[in-house]
Amino acid sequence: MNEAQRMYADAVEALNRRQWQVAHDMGIRLTGMVPEHGGVHFVAGVAALQLQRLPEGIRHLQRAVHLSPARADYAAQFARALAMVRLTREALVAADAASAMSPDDPATLDTLGVVYTQANEHAKAIALFEQAARKLPRHATYRFNLGTSHTFLGNLDQAEREYEACLALEPGHGKAHLALAQLRKASTAGNHVARLRGLLDDARDAASRMYLNLALAKELEDLGDYPRAFDHLVAGKAAGGEGRAYRSERDADLFAAIEQATRAMPHDVEGSSSAEPIFVIGMPRSGTTLVDRILSSHPQVHSAGELQNFGVVLKRASGSRTPELLDVDTVLRSASMAWRQLGDAYVASTRPATAGKPRFVDKLPHNFLYAGFIARALPNARIVCLRRNPMDTCLGNFRQLFAQSTPYYDYSFDLLDTGRYYVLFDRLMRHWRETLPGRILELDYEALVEDQESATRRLLAHCGLEWDDACMRFNDNAAPVATASAVQVRQPLHRDALQRWKRYQPQLAGLKLLLEGAGIVV
């Protein structure tokens, strides 16, 4: 065995032991010694991804795939890398290429399942997760991922079995405990409170305390024990917020920059001719998933899910080199754009998933930040903003554990920070109302619950869609749901969530004062 062979074996061992820096350094040295060896680029690329050196990781993994085109595991990691930088269409191409090789390695199958999940290709994802779990049934993460996929597809009994299988293998798996709590409404006859309390007593790390406290908060709320539910909610969110160093001033600066930049933008610009997109925006937990389900029940409409695509194409077109997807630098650089090219690039980035029907819904709530840019790049697109009682909206955001990999939701780990964020949102919507008159339909969640047909007729008319009775039966919609509302939207409309905040009036007094002090009627 020569020196390069010995070093390669050591690099692979370091990678398997998750010694990312060691594996990376060895991989880089090896690329100089044996530059045409796909394996050394694979080691260097995977290690670079783990060290958050994404462009470097993509370069090496692309090279690994080129040098070793028959390696499905190399193609799967390349797909994962592309998904990490939100190159969804390119990630799907790489994932399809890897899947076509019929891999049988459980890790590769699971990796591909995650890529497909992130791309809203849930039918493909679940088939791969099932294969991974069959091949390695005692791997807790594979069982959890399969359970999550079943949840998105509405297979709740199967999801429950997989989450319990995960917990049998790894009793402290916090994500599985929270997912299980959210799967059904707890009752005196069926709940996990005792198990969760026992585990919480022994929890030491912040992540475990976060998941277990949030699971307890959900089940205790279901059981009507609101004071204790809120105590666990606060404790869970405090644990999740550790180390994030969130400052509401950062968001205030961003919102101010958006208002300033878009107020100065000309309106008579040439945008894309496409009339396909329907953007459903608003604060999270305000009914955006419900409206998406109503719209996608229409035979002319496809639900594309929560797409990051518009922000990604705007970031690239702006020329900004900052790491954040949207920040003050990106906003200022985006004030002058080739709007038609931007709109066309966005629509192209949603292909092929959106090509099957005349219209599609992009329901990323935080696209409310981009409404002024969307209006110029896609003048024929329709925009719907959900509004909900401010107290219910803020409580809903504070109750929810959103994706932790994005700074979009950092405000939600503290109740008053959530209130401050709502104030910024409300002010930005007033700005869009003034600068984009008639472009955005603001639809009240409460109005939709109280008079579904009337609100649905307004919604369809705004979107240029003919009436269809299927929109009244949205809970029969079999399409996957990969949002926080994955369980709720499969049920008929009900009033249970209206005025939920009044269950917690004493605990929310400070939030109420904050909102009222900003002139918001609660």
Side-chain angles (χ1 to χ4, degrees):
M1 184 181 291
N2 60 33
E3 181 184 359
Q5 290 171 323
R6 282 193 298 273
M7 187 181 295
Y8 178 59
D10 291 342
V12 170
E13 184 176 359
L15 193 72
N16 291 335
R17 290 182 176 177
R18 306 174 72 84
Q19 297 172 330
W20 309 125
Q21 191 65 58
V22 173
H24 174 268
D25 293 347
M26 286 184 175
I28 295 301
R29 284 183 60 193
L30 282 163
T31 60
M33 298 166 66
V34 280
E36 299 302 305
H37 189 294
V40 301
H41 286 282
F42 177 76
V43 170
V46 172
L49 292 186
Q50 296 295 336
L51 295 169
Q52 296 301 306
R53 301 173 188 175
L54 302 186
E56 178 188 345
I58 289 171
R59 284 197 308 273
H60 284 295
L61 288 168
Q62 186 174 30
R63 185 67 178 155
V65 169
H66 174 74
L67 292 170
S68 304
R71 290 292 297 262
D73 52 342
Y74 292 7
Q77 289 296 329
F78 181 47
R80 181 173 77 94
L82 293 169
M84 288 173 71
V85 295
R86 303 184 180 94
L87 290 171
T88 305
R89 185 169 53 167
E90 294 85 346
L92 281 173
V93 171
D96 286 345
S99 296
M101 299 180 207
S102 300
D104 60 4
D105 168 45
T108 298
L109 293 166
D110 184 71
T111 297
L112 290 171
V114 171
V115 172
Y116 283 126
T117 298
Q118 292 171 341
N120 296 313
E121 294 282 353
H122 299 289
K124 291 181 178 180
I126 197 167
L128 293 161
F129 287 140
E130 285 174 340
Q131 289 183 62
R134 277 199 305 271
K135 289 178 177 298
L136 207 59
R138 299 192 59 76
H139 194 292
T141 298
Y142 296 168
R143 305 303 292 267
F144 174 78
N145 286 345
L146 179 55
T148 301
S149 201
H150 276 303
T151 301
F152 292 161
L153 289 165
N155 307 326
L156 303 190
D157 290 340
Q158 295 95 317
E160 183 175 22
R161 282 199 298 271
E162 293 304 325
Y163 291 144
E164 288 290 7
C166 169
L167 291 172
L169 295 166
E170 190 178 322
H173 197 292
K175 288 183 180 180
H177 284 293
L178 181 56
L180 200 55
Q182 292 172 336
L183 199 62
R184 304 186 194 281
K185 185 172 182 177
S187 67
T188 53
N191 65 75
H192 311 93
V193 171
R195 178 169 73 178
L196 291 167
R197 281 177 171 157
L199 289 164
L200 184 58
D201 289 341
D202 296 326
R204 295 292 176 264
D205 62 285
S208 294
R209 287 185 281 112
M210 176 185 70
Y211 287 117
L212 293 171
N213 272 299
L214 294 181
L216 270 167
K218 162 62 170 61
E219 297 210 0
L220 289 169
E221 180 184 274
D222 289 345
L223 296 169
D225 190 348
Y226 301 126
R228 287 181 181 167
F230 199 83
D231 288 344
H232 283 291
L233 177 57
V234 171
K237 281 306 189 85
E242 288 180 14
R244 288 183 176 270
Y246 173 74
R247 294 171 51 255
S248 60
E249 292 82 2
R250 182 194 70 189
D251 281 326
D253 290 344
L254 173 61
F255 279 65
I258 291 170
E259 289 190 33
Q260 179 183 352
T262 54
R263 197 177 295 279
M265 285 180 187
H267 285 275
D268 55 340
V269 297
E270 182 188 1
S272 170
S273 62
S274 176
E276 295 176 51
I278 301 170
F279 291 90
V280 177
I281 64 175
M283 282 288 288
R285 312 303 295 150
S286 63
T288 55
T289 301
L290 172 60
V291 168
D292 172 61
R293 299 294 282 184
I294 291 171
L295 287 171
S296 61
S297 296
H298 195 285
Q300 299 291 305
V301 181
H302 166 75
S303 173
E306 296 188 358
L307 301 180
Q308 299 277 353
N309 300 41
F310 190 86
V312 171
V313 296
L314 180 78
K315 180 76 174 184
R316 290 185 198 138
S318 74
S320 173
R321 294 292 180 265
T322 54
E324 295 81 10
L325 185 60
L326 183 64
D327 56 11
V328 172
D329 179 71
T330 307
V331 169
L332 297 179
R333 290 174 180 270
S334 301
S336 178
M337 277 274 176
W339 297 108
R340 180 175 59 79
Q341 288 92 324
L342 178 65
D344 288 343
Y346 163 76
V347 174
S349 75
T350 69
R351 301 296 195 242
T354 61
K357 293 187 178 182
R359 310 290 296 280
F360 70 87
V361 178
D362 179 343
K363 67 141 302 230
L364 182 70
H366 272 90
N367 272 333
F368 72 76
L369 295 166
Y370 295 101
F373 304 97
I374 290 169
R376 289 166 175 82
L378 293 150
N380 298 311
R382 307 303 169 97
I383 309 174
V384 180
C385 179
L386 268 292
R387 304 301 301 258
R388 187 181 182 184
N389 174 277
M391 293 289 287
D392 276 336
T393 301
C394 290
L395 176 61
N397 276 250
F398 187 53
R399 288 172 73 244
Q400 186 63 43
L401 181 63
F402 297 107
Q404 298 174 73
S405 57
T406 170
Y408 271 147
Y409 305 108
D410 279 357
Y411 65 85
S412 68
F413 288 93
D414 178 86
L415 181 63
L416 295 185
D417 280 340
T418 302
R420 295 182 189 99
Y421 194 87
Y422 183 90
V423 171
L424 294 174
F425 160 77
D426 187 68
R427 187 174 70 194
L428 184 59
M429 288 310 302
R430 288 200 304 271
H431 168 71
W432 296 140
R433 213 175 295 133
E434 295 167 5
T435 58
L436 303 171
R439 277 305 306 271
I440 302 175
L441 171 66
E442 294 189 60
L443 188 65
D444 289 339
Y445 171 77
E446 290 79 6
L448 190 54
V449 173
E450 296 287 2
D451 188 350
Q452 181 185 352
E453 181 174 340
S454 177
T456 300
R457 288 188 182 277
R458 284 183 62 213
L459 172 66
L460 296 181
H462 176 76
C463 295
L465 294 165
E466 297 290 332
W467 176 260
D468 194 288
D469 289 340
C471 296
M472 294 293 290
R473 303 187 302 273
F474 66 88
N475 51 301
D476 294 335
N477 190 335
V481 185
T483 73
S485 304
V487 176
Q488 295 97 310
V489 296
R490 299 190 185 279
Q491 305 164 357
L493 271 183
H494 53 75
R495 299 171 51 83
D496 293 359
L498 299 182
Q499 300 292 305
R500 175 181 269 139
W501 72 272
K502 291 189 175 179
R503 302 171 184 172
Y504 299 102
Q505 273 188 283
Q507 295 88 349
L508 300 181
L511 172 65
K512 188 170 183 284
L513 282 174
L514 186 155
L515 294 176
E516 290 176 335
I520 293 172
V521 178
V522 302

